[in-house]
């Protein structure tokens, strides 16, 4: 999974083009880059820059103390305040990426000192809806500064867009043993507590940027969707958001504490650090810790539990900040009043199958054998349901569809079903537009909807393909996300009426160049996979 994720991110990153010039903009070329007014945040004064279309951006704002030295692995700590104006004109450091990730794109710098956020707004007045974006990349890679995630289009749509970086992999999710004392009791969820700290910053400061702290929507894709899922079950985040969107990343559970403790103990043992020796832990360089990740996981691999983004250095249940898996066995009570949009793409598995030559050569017999291996009690019925759901797909493409649905779609359906037992509404979607790049192999693959949601398809043209279709997709998806953030309902003139999801009809918005509502799409396949 991780190997194929890297391939696709590298392809996406290499496709970046210049931002579209907005001919109708009242900000002239000579004004782009001009300084904004100074904003006096709770931490200190900051000054951003103007972008096209009167958008003001504030990049690289610190929201918590640098988690380095003696603060390594600890939950985020408050910042020391400053008095001199800070120029917020460039993105802050990205988190350290797991070994094997592609080289940093453009001017992206990576560091343990990574607790930065960015704000885009069309002006500093009023109380506009706020959307807080959580980037994907499992819990091991990614950054908010990637061009797909730029928030200028949301700002022009009347949203205050916030994106952020937080600790990842071993630096964000190492649960140290109990012998390290209370300061590290929640170290296995430190990266998620970073996000909570960023949401606290939003609550305290976003009104200064023209945002409404009482109308905050959290949204994310893939690992970012999993982060949204976890926040729905984290008591310290209660009241910091009011709506949620999960894109291709439903997380029902989290890493069990027993495994996380064993993994953290294996890491410190591999590093040669004695329990409680904070000075020794702080003195180890970053690359040494990275180099010890695999050795630590190998020591406890026999304890690992299967599940979406569970195991290795990922968020773990601490019994307090995350009392249990967020949707295990039911939806968390704290999410009862949170409206939700949730969905996936039609061909989620293709990203992770790129370059797999065995799939290209797969036969009908080989496909059926793989299905029986995965579903031994209903192999024949499952194979038939997959063929019916994906007519014209090759045997290898059907294998990929099976794996992608298992990884993303079914958990999204289960999460929605559990959420429906609560009062707040749920809307379900599927994105079907196939991109023509990669020789068509990606189809409507994982992450292909992102630039439609953000309106940034011009930034990644060589990824989404030429022509008017990306603009048509964005006109629908971006508008629906904006409507949801503004009103709690995704209805928009750009799409057909979108009914709430229920267990009788299972109404699903199928986003495509011509979007439509489908009741219980691929119902036979869904029933078999859920069974």
């Amino acid at each position: 999974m991780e190997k194929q994720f890297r391939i696709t991110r590298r392809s996406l990153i290499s496709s970046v083009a210049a931002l579209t010039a907005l001919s109708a903009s009242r900000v002239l070329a000579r004004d782009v880059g001009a300084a904004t007014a100074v904003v006096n945040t709770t931490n200190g004064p900051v000054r951003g820059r103007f972008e096209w279309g009167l958008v003001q951006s504030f990049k690289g704002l610190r929201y918590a103390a640098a988690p380095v030295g003696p603060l390594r692995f600890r939950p985020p700590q408050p910042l020391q305040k400053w008095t001199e104006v800070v120029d917020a004109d460039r993105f802050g450091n990205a988190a350290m990426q797991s070994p094997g990730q592609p080289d940093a794109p453009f001017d992206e710098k990576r560091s343990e000192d990574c607790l930065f956020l960015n704000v885009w707004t069309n002006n500093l007045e009023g109380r506009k809806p706020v959307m807080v974006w959580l980037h994907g990349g499992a819990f091991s890679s990614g950054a908010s500064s990637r061009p797909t995630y730029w928030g200028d289009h949301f700002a022009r749509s009347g949203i205050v867009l916030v994106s952020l970086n937080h600790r990842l992999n071993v630096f964000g999710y190492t649960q140290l043993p109990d012998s390290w004392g209370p300061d590290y009791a929640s170290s296995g969820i430190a990266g998620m507590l970073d996000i909570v700290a960023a949401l606290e910053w939003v609550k305290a400061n976003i009104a200064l940027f023209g945002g409404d702290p009482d109308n905050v929507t959290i949204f994310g894709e893939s690992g970012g969707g999993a982060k949204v899922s976890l926040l729905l079950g984290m008591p310290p985040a209660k009241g910091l958001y009011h709506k949620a969107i999960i894109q291709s990343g439903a997380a029902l559970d989290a890493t069990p504490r027993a495994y996380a403790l064993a993994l953290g103990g294996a890491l410190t043992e591999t590093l040669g650090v004695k329990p409680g020796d904070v000075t020794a832990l702080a003195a180890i360089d970053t690359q040494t810790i990275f180099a010890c990740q695999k050795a630590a996981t190998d020591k406890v691999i026999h304890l690992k539990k299967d599940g979406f983004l569970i195991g290795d250095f990922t968020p773990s249940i601490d019994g307090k900040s995350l009392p249990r898996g967020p949707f295990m066995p039911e939806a968390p009570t704290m999410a009862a009043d949170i409206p939700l949009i949730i969905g996936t793409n039609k061909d989620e598995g293709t990203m992770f199958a790129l370059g797999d030559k065995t799939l290209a050569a797969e036969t009908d017999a080989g496909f059926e054998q793989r299905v029986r291996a995965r579903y031994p009690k209903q192999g024949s019925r499952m194979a038939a349901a997959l063929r019916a759901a994906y007519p014209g797909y090759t045997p290898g493409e059907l294998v990929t569809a099976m794996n992608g649905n298992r990884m993303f779609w079914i958990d999204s359906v289960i999460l929605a079903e559990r959420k429906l037992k609560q009062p707040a509404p749920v809307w379900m979607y599927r994105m079907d537009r196939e991109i023509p790049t990669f020789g068509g192999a990606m189809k409507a693959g994982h992450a292909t909807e992102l630039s439609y949601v953000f309106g940034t398809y011009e930034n990644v043209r060589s990824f989404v393909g030429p022509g008017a279709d990306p603009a048509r997709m964005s006109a629908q998806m971006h508008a629906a996300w904006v409507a949801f953030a503004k009103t709690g309902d995704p209805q928009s003139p750009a799409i057909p009426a979108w009914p709430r999801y229920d267990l009788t009809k299972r109404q699903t918005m199928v986003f495509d160049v011509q979007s439509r509502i489908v009741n219980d799409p691929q119902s036979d396949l869904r029933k078999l996979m859920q069974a």
Side-chain angles (χ1 to χ4, degrees):
M1 173 176 173
E2 192 62 26
K3 175 181 178 182
Q4 301 303 338
F5 180 84
R6 295 196 299 269
I7 290 171
T8 301
R9 284 298 184 199
R10 185 182 299 114
S11 301
L12 188 153
I13 289 163
S14 67
S15 68
V16 175
L19 278 170
T20 305
L22 299 177
S23 59
S25 171
R26 289 176 286 163
V27 176
L28 301 177
R30 65 176 180 270
D31 297 320
V32 172
T36 69
V38 172
V39 177
N40 291 300
T41 73
T42 53
N43 297 319
V46 300
R47 178 171 49 213
R49 292 292 183 270
F50 277 95
E51 298 182 3
W52 283 103
L54 285 180
V55 169
Q56 300 179 49
S57 65
F58 298 78
K59 299 173 181 175
L61 300 176
R62 289 186 180 273
Y63 63 86
V68 298
L71 298 185
R72 176 182 275 168
F73 296 166
R74 288 183 59 187
Q77 301 298 307
L79 273 171
Q80 289 189 347
K81 295 183 179 181
W82 60 83
T83 57
E84 297 295 322
V85 176
V86 171
D87 276 317
D89 58 354
R90 64 188 63 189
F91 293 110
N93 298 327
M96 297 301 301
Q97 310 287 292
S98 282
Q101 295 298 317
D103 293 337
F106 312 106
D107 59 350
E108 181 180 299
K109 297 179 180 179
R110 297 168 176 176
S111 171
E112 288 185 67
D113 178 11
C114 64
L115 304 188
F116 298 92
L117 58 77
N118 317 295
V119 179
W120 282 266
T121 181
N122 62 15
N123 62 69
L124 303 180
E125 308 300 327
R127 289 174 69 88
K128 294 177 283 295
V130 180
M131 298 185 74
V132 178
W133 171 250
L134 306 178
H135 69 73
F139 290 104
S140 59
S141 63
S144 64
S145 57
R146 305 289 167 81
T148 303
Y149 307 148
W150 292 351
D152 52 311
H153 293 270
F154 272 114
R156 279 189 284 273
S157 297
I159 300 293
V160 178
L161 192 285
V162 179
S163 64
L164 63 112
N165 292 339
H166 58 89
R167 282 172 286 180
L168 299 168
N169 49 68
V170 65
F171 295 104
Y173 304 109
T174 293
Q175 180 57 60
L176 294 181
D178 293 336
S179 55
W180 282 78
D183 285 347
Y184 298 91
S186 296
S187 62
I189 200 169
M192 289 300 305
L193 291 173
D194 291 343
I195 299 173
V196 173
L199 290 171
E200 290 172 340
W201 183 98
V202 168
K203 187 173 183 64
N205 292 282
I206 207 63
L208 302 172
F209 298 86
D212 183 355
D214 296 321
N215 186 6
V216 176
T217 299
I218 53 174
F219 70 130
E221 183 268 346
S222 191
K227 295 162 196 173
V228 172
S229 303
L230 292 168
L231 287 170
L232 290 171
M234 292 182 65
K238 184 175 175 59
L240 299 179
Y241 57 83
H242 311 92
K243 296 181 284 292
I245 304 173
I246 299 173
Q247 300 172 217
S248 305
L252 305 177
D253 208 349
T255 299
R257 186 167 179 82
Y259 173 84
L261 287 166
L263 180 58
L267 178 69
T268 53
E269 178 183 285
T270 303
L271 293 170
V273 177
K274 296 180 180 178
D277 194 341
V278 175
T279 301
L281 183 63
I284 300 173
D285 68 273
T286 298
Q287 294 306 318
T288 297
I289 292 178
F290 267 149
C292 290
Q293 283 190 96
K294 186 177 186 305
T297 54
D298 286 347
K299 287 182 179 180
V300 297
I301 192 67
H302 61 288
L303 301 174
K304 185 175 178 179
K305 177 183 177 181
D306 289 335
F308 179 63
L309 299 182
I310 290 177
D312 298 332
F313 291 96
T314 56
S316 58
I317 297 166
D318 69 345
K320 182 180 179 182
S321 295
L322 184 64
R324 60 174 173 86
F327 286 85
M328 292 293 287
E330 60 191 3
T333 56
M334 63 173 280
D337 297 326
I338 305 297
L340 175 68
I341 292 176
I342 187 168
T344 56
N345 297 346
K346 175 172 66 72
D347 302 288
E348 293 283 357
T350 54
M351 169 182 282
F352 312 103
L354 289 176
D356 188 338
K357 296 180 179 179
T358 64
L359 289 173
E362 188 58 275
T363 63
D364 285 331
F367 157 65
E368 292 180 3
Q369 183 177 0
R370 293 199 200 212
V371 174
R372 286 193 299 271
R374 178 61 65 182
Y375 299 97
K377 295 183 178 180
Q378 49 194 10
S380 297
R381 294 175 62 199
M382 184 67 72
L386 282 162
R387 287 191 175 106
Y390 297 92
Y393 278 38
T394 68
E397 289 170 344
L398 290 172
V399 172
T400 301
M402 174 182 70
N403 293 335
N405 285 331
R406 286 184 58 255
M407 190 182 303
F408 296 101
W409 177 43
I410 292 303
D411 279 0
S412 295
V413 171
I414 293 171
L415 190 152
E417 290 176 348
R418 292 175 182 176
K419 187 76 173 66
L420 283 174
K421 296 179 181 179
Q422 299 179 332
V426 176
W427 287 268
M428 177 71 75
Y429 77 90
R430 190 182 77 197
M431 198 289 294
D432 276 22
R433 192 251 171 176
E434 298 185 6
I435 60 174
T437 51
F438 299 88
M442 276 281 283
K443 298 183 181 294
H446 191 63
T448 56
E449 89 287 4
L450 287 172
S451 68
Y452 312 149
V453 168
F454 275 81
T456 52
Y457 50 88
E458 291 291 355
N459 296 3
V460 289
R461 265 293 179 181
S462 63
F463 180 73
V464 299
D469 283 358
R472 295 190 183 104
M473 293 299 301
S474 186
Q476 299 176 80
M477 297 195 77
H478 179 78
W481 268 230
V482 167
F484 182 70
K486 289 181 176 181
T487 68
D489 191 317
Q491 309 306 322
S492 160
I495 58 174
W498 188 353
R500 297 179 179 186
Y501 194 65
D502 64 47
L503 297 184
T504 302
K505 294 185 177 180
R506 297 181 181 267
Q507 306 95 324
T508 301
M509 175 64 73
V510 177
F511 283 107
D512 208 333
V513 176
Q514 295 293 328
S515 297
R516 64 196 188 280
I517 294 295
V518 176
N519 290 343
D520 201 2
Q522 301 176 338
S523 59
D524 290 343
L525 183 60
R526 175 189 61 77
K527 293 172 184 176
L528 285 170
M529 286 193 158
Q530 284 192 262

